[in-house]
Amino acid sequence: MKFTLNWLKEHLDTTADAAAVADALTRIGLEVEEVSNPADVLRPFKIARVLTAAPHPQADKLQVLSVDAGDGALQVVCGAPNARAGLVGIFGAPGTWVPGPDMTLKVAAIRGVESNGMMCSFRELLLGEDHDGIVELPEDAPVGTSYAEWAGLDDPLFDVSVTPNRQDCMGVRGIARDLAAFGLGTLKPLHQVYRMESLAPVAGSDPAPDVRTDDAEGCPAFYAQAVSGLTNGASPKWMADKLKAIGQKPISVLVDITNFVSIDLGRPLHVYDRAKLSGALVARKAKDGEQVLALNGKTYTLDSTMTVIADDASVHDIGGIMGGEHSGVSETTIDVLIECAFFDPDHIALTGQKLALTSDARQRFERGVDPAFLDGGLAIATKLVLDHCGGTASAITRAGQPPVAQRTLAYDPARVLALGGFDVPADRQKAILERLGFGVSDDFTVTIPTWRRDVDGTADLVEEVVRIEGLDKVPSTPLPRAEGVAKPTASPEQRIERKARRAAAARGFAEAVTWSFLSEKEAAPFGGGHWTLANPISEDLKVMRPSLVPGLARAAQRNRDRGEKAVRLFELGRRYLDDGERPTLTVLIAGDAAARDWRTGKARAADAYDAKAEALAVLAAAGAPVDRLQLIGPGRETWHPGRSGQLGLGPKMILATFGELHPEVLNALDVEGPMVAAEIYLDAIPAKRDAGRARPAYAPSALQAVRRDFAFLVAADLQADKLIRAIAGADKQAIAEVALFDVFTGAGVPEGQKSLAIEVVLQPADKSFDEAALKAISDKIVAVAAKQGATLRG
């Protein structure tokens, strides 16, 4: 839901600035996603007067202007055909960023003549499509003043996330009502906002239009009024400016009126060209297989559960969701029918889901618009049409009956203390509820307003009081522990997750929380989605993720797009496979693993070894027996075949996969490589056995360790890990450590082989080793190496 500050102030009498409004919205439970000001980027552009205009000596289509922007004359080269002495326009000085062509102005020579800035067109400032010449302002426009301030563009834009239960806040009017109840100002009477004496229906002399509803469930009420002899042109500037400010493109005054009222009041409308209708206009159930060409240019096949608006010839409207193209208004329209109907929210939601069709109207109808605002909405729409298009109105047809039965609740003000945890005086509660539109009698019988479909119990009334009074006043009070209630405990699985999360954070990774849903395309490289949502938020979030890598990769790419050279992210979540949910911690490194420094002069890109080190560190922190882990082949098809691996306690017990992501996976996710990652499968970590006794205290040997180096010739495809593990088991009492410190494939090494240089640390226990003991251990090492196909290099 988007609106500007000035738009809000048309309904709310307040002096609050954008920061105060944003703070108040957050306090009353309306999440502000963003507050921006389009004028910020245009603030450097000034109003300037062209003093002189002379032909360019080297180009027939260019002129050399002398421009005054309040700081003295500047020379500017300009190619606009309307540039002339005396013109007042918009000037950008050197150093100013121009949003249209996305460039920063600088002093430059154009065909040998120095130019100090630019006289701008509307398109270059993203203020319109006009690019035939530079902007021409009134001659009395104040030179040297910021154009954005002079033109009234300094109007902060709010983007508010409205939860599904707050259907009343799907219009600027509803948000203004909430802020007035909070105390940020006074809500203006609606008829004054629209400059009407009252919200009474507009009287008409023409015959009432022929409409009816044959679908009392899907469309309980269908009101309509016709206007004849009108002219459909461009919208008035104030309306067009409002729509453009929130990102909507003005189309024509008739279409823009319906869009404006929908956003301003949360009341969707539709306008039909009567010349394109045949017979009565009826709200009815669709027939199986009927089709309609909607305003988005797509044809939809309907079924008998859907409500449509049709005439004798065809379907013209998917009721409450989107109009049809055949009966839409155009510049030649002179007679219209204005529809103001009430559609059942459940029917709208089911139809929208079946057709995979969303619209502003659907968003409002499926939440539930005010069923008592049919006459008022129709009166406002008709007045706007008459004011801006002319014509004569007809009488009103009211078909059906909207669900406006009065709903009341017996309310006890003490419930606020019981449920909210703090006391609010009864008279204060009454004032809050009345400001929100509730009726409150002396005995606290509360009448629920027709626009608050979400309120159906006293707990909802408590919520209204608490959020307006201040959620920050709710005390943090622990509940008393009743006898027999167990103290909080963590399961072994939860303890493993906590340790793994702390380890990843301690190693410099930032925790991310990404969607558990993916598109089918993104899931395909990871084996595809095993669980598909019946009612996805969008096609991009249709299947449950089989891996955490796609979400992290996209998050890393967003950071790199914003200039981050090294991104380290981790997420602890669930993978959704065909056999169930699998708890997994995934780390991902994009870009540099080490920044450049004075020793090397360049950064080091992350590689598979970085991913392996992170996997081992997290596994060790989680309690996995890392000393017994084996390197078991490369990762699956998701991973680069030569730069990945799996860590496990055997081929059937894989604890982690690490390495560089396959280039095809990067392409499928539309991210830049290389990226390295590691998936740690937390549910595969074996539980520790309870030995029943404490671990003995560490007692280091007093004798000095002995180090011996061995160089073995092995097959080129032999994994070094296999040889290292074999050597470590040659004499478990004497061998303390085994480490690979060199791999060599140069001169002297036979083709198809490689040389592995291994350091072995021998730790004596009771006495130092003599030569005979060292030789015996060395012979054991050579013997076990030979079983792996290794020969001692001479």
Side-chain angles (χ1 to χ4, degrees):
M1 177 65 194
K2 293 183 178 180
F3 57 91
T4 65
L5 180 61
N6 287 339
W7 192 342
L8 176 70
K9 288 184 176 182
E10 291 185 3
H11 291 273
L12 185 69
D13 187 2
T14 180
T15 58
D17 59 11
V21 171
D23 179 67
L25 289 171
T26 302
R27 286 175 174 270
I28 61 179
L30 294 173
E31 180 183 353
V32 179
E33 293 198 348
E34 184 182 16
V35 180
S36 58
N37 192 340
D40 289 343
V41 71
L42 300 178
R43 215 174 296 280
F45 293 90
K46 294 184 177 182
I47 297 174
R49 185 183 302 276
V50 179
L51 303 177
T52 62
H56 191 290
Q58 304 294 332
D60 295 338
K61 295 184 178 181
L62 298 179
Q63 296 187 72
V64 181
L65 310 180
S66 176
V67 176
D68 178 18
D71 299 318
L74 290 173
Q75 180 172 279
V76 176
V77 177
C78 179
N82 63 331
R84 63 187 183 277
L87 181 145
V88 178
I90 305 172
F91 173 71
T96 303
W97 179 69
V98 186
D102 187 20
M103 67 177 185
T104 301
L105 299 175
K106 60 183 179 180
V107 177
I110 300 177
R111 294 288 187 92
V113 177
E114 183 179 277
S115 181
N116 299 274
M118 177 181 182
M119 295 294 289
C120 303
S121 70
F122 278 124
R123 188 198 292 181
E124 288 160 342
L125 300 180
L126 297 182
L127 294 175
E129 296 299 321
D130 187 2
H131 194 57
D132 294 335
I134 57 178
V135 177
E136 295 191 40
L137 300 178
E139 291 187 3
D140 59 351
V143 171
T145 302
S146 169
Y147 170 74
E149 296 178 5
W150 175 82
L153 300 178
D154 193 1
D155 192 5
L157 176 67
F158 294 85
D159 187 357
V160 176
S161 178
V162 180
T163 53
N165 64 310
R166 292 306 309 277
Q167 67 280 350
D168 58 308
C169 288
M170 289 299 290
V172 179
R173 179 72 177 180
I175 292 175
R177 183 189 296 112
D178 262 24
L179 290 171
F182 183 69
L184 201 66
T186 304
L187 187 68
K188 299 178 182 179
L190 184 56
H191 68 276
Q192 292 183 10
V193 174
Y194 281 91
R195 297 177 176 85
M196 301 169 67
E197 292 185 4
S198 70
L199 292 180
V202 176
S205 56
D206 294 346
D210 187 5
V211 303
R212 70 177 188 271
T213 176
D214 293 344
D215 180 12
E217 291 184 353
C219 180
F222 186 176
Y223 289 13
Q225 189 166 21
V227 178
S228 304
L230 56 76
T231 301
N232 184 25
S235 297
K237 184 176 183 303
W238 65 265
M239 186 181 294
D241 287 346
K242 281 183 169 62
L243 294 176
K244 286 190 288 187
I246 63 172
Q248 289 203 8
K249 181 181 179 180
I251 299 173
S252 69
V253 62
L254 288 173
V255 175
D256 294 346
I257 285 172
T258 63
N259 291 335
F260 172 76
V261 173
S262 178
I263 296 163
D264 193 46
L265 304 176
R267 172 66 258 184
L269 303 162
H270 191 64
V271 178
Y272 299 89
D273 187 333
R274 282 161 49 204
K276 300 175 182 178
L277 300 178
S278 176
L281 202 59
V282 183
R284 61 168 173 84
K285 290 294 187 191
K287 300 172 185 177
D288 288 330
E290 269 190 314
Q291 292 187 327
V292 59
L293 177 62
L295 287 171
N296 61 2
K298 297 181 180 180
T299 298
Y300 294 91
T301 302
L302 312 172
D303 65 38
S304 58
T305 67
M306 302 174 182
T307 301
V308 298
I309 308 296
D311 62 9
D312 295 343
S314 62
V315 172
H316 291 288
D317 190 338
I318 305 172
I321 297 180
M322 187 170 290
E325 195 166 280
H326 294 308
S327 58
V329 297
S330 66
E331 65 276 3
T332 61
T333 298
I334 58 174
D335 300 320
V336 298
L337 183 148
I338 306 170
E339 168 208 302
C340 185
F342 180 84
F343 296 95
D344 177 70
D346 294 338
H347 282 72
I348 292 293
L350 291 173
T351 299
Q353 291 167 11
K354 285 183 178 181
L355 299 178
L357 177 59
T358 61
S359 67
D360 288 341
R362 175 190 166 183
Q363 288 182 347
R364 286 162 174 80
F365 276 123
E366 72 180 351
R367 283 171 163 87
V369 302
D370 183 2
F373 193 59
L374 295 178
D375 272 324
L378 188 58
I380 289 173
T382 302
K383 180 182 183 299
L384 289 172
V385 170
L386 294 173
D387 287 349
H388 300 290
C389 302
T392 58
S394 73
I396 298 172
T397 300
R398 298 177 178 87
Q401 180 63 44
V404 292
Q406 188 178 83
R407 296 183 299 143
T408 60
L409 291 171
Y411 178 62
D412 180 3
R415 294 283 287 166
V416 169
L417 178 60
L419 295 180
F422 68 102
D423 194 19
V424 179
D427 56 347
R428 169 63 177 159
Q429 293 189 47
K430 182 178 180 181
I432 289 173
L433 292 173
E434 288 177 339
R435 284 190 174 189
L436 288 170
F438 294 84
V440 185
S441 65
D442 292 339
D443 63 351
F444 270 91
T445 297
V446 177
T447 302
I448 302 170
T450 52
W451 59 81
R452 291 304 301 269
R453 177 171 173 260
D454 58 305
V455 175
D456 62 2
T458 57
D460 296 319
L461 298 178
V462 171
E463 180 184 356
E464 294 300 298
V465 172
V466 169
R467 71 181 182 88
I468 298 299
E469 185 67 12
L471 292 169
D472 55 334
K473 295 182 180 179
V474 177
S476 299
T477 305
L479 293 173
R481 184 173 299 282
E483 185 177 352
V485 176
K487 293 184 177 180
T489 59
S491 66
E493 294 78 10
Q494 289 172 326
R495 288 196 290 269
I496 288 176
E497 291 184 6
R498 291 174 184 176
K499 292 176 181 177
R501 176 181 277 114
R502 284 197 295 266
R507 293 186 66 82
F509 288 89
E511 184 171 9
V513 179
T514 66
W515 286 103
S516 296
F517 321 113
L518 302 173
S519 67
E520 292 178 325
K521 177 184 176 183
E522 292 169 328
F526 300 86
H530 301 283
W531 299 7
T532 302
L533 300 182
N535 180 26
I537 299 173
S538 70
E539 286 297 309
D540 292 336
L541 300 171
K542 189 173 184 179
V543 298
M544 304 297 287
R545 62 186 178 192
S547 171
L548 278 66
V549 169
L552 289 176
R554 292 198 308 271
Q557 186 62 48
R558 285 194 293 272
N559 281 272
R560 295 185 72 183
D561 290 343
R562 287 158 177 77
E564 289 293 328
K565 294 183 178 180
V567 182
R568 295 168 64 89
L569 300 175
F570 85 91
E571 181 172 9
L572 197 159
R574 299 294 189 266
R575 295 178 299 133
Y576 299 89
L577 308 181
D578 55 357
D579 58 349
E581 302 178 24
R582 299 296 180 191
T584 304
L585 187 142
T586 300
V587 299
L588 183 139
I589 306 173
D592 299 338
R596 61 181 181 177
D597 57 27
W598 61 271
R599 293 171 295 179
T600 62
K602 59 182 180 180
R604 181 180 68 80
D607 56 27
Y609 296 104
D610 294 302
K612 180 183 178 183
E614 302 302 340
L616 289 171
V618 173
L619 285 169
V626 293
D627 56 328
R628 295 193 286 119
L629 289 180
Q630 305 172 31
L631 185 63
I632 305 172
R636 296 183 179 179
E637 59 274 6
T638 304
W639 306 87
H640 195 298
R643 303 172 189 172
S644 63
Q646 299 181 87
L647 297 171
L649 298 173
K652 296 184 179 181
M653 198 170 184
I654 305 300
L655 271 61
T657 303
F658 68 89
E660 187 176 312
L661 296 180
H662 198 288
E664 291 182 358
V665 173
L666 299 176
N667 290 334
L669 298 178
D670 194 22
V671 297
E672 298 177 5
M675 287 186 181
V676 300
E679 289 186 324
I680 296 92
Y681 312 126
L682 301 179
D683 57 336
I685 298 175
K688 287 188 176 181
R689 297 177 181 176
D690 187 2
R693 57 186 177 83
R695 179 183 297 177
Y698 173 62
S701 174
L703 302 176
Q704 184 173 347
V706 178
R707 300 177 183 272
R708 288 287 185 269
D709 294 343
F710 298 83
F712 292 102
L713 289 174
V714 300
D717 59 353
L718 179 72
Q719 293 181 2
D721 181 67
K722 290 185 177 180
L723 182 59
I724 292 172
R725 295 178 65 83
I727 292 173
D731 189 331
K732 294 183 179 180
Q733 298 297 322
I735 298 176
E737 293 180 36
V738 182
L740 176 72
F741 67 86
D742 187 45
V743 180
F744 181 68
T745 56
V749 176
E751 186 176 352
Q753 292 188 318
K754 60 185 176 184
S755 173
L756 301 180
I758 295 176
E759 179 187 57
V760 181
V761 179
L762 307 174
Q763 179 62 59
D766 301 327
K767 60 178 182 179
S768 298
F769 295 121
D770 55 23
E771 287 299 323
L774 291 174
K775 184 178 185 307
I777 296 172
S778 297
D779 291 343
K780 291 180 182 180
I781 291 173
V782 173
V784 297
K787 294 180 180 180
Q788 301 294 325
T791 58
L792 195 64
R793 185 179 175 190

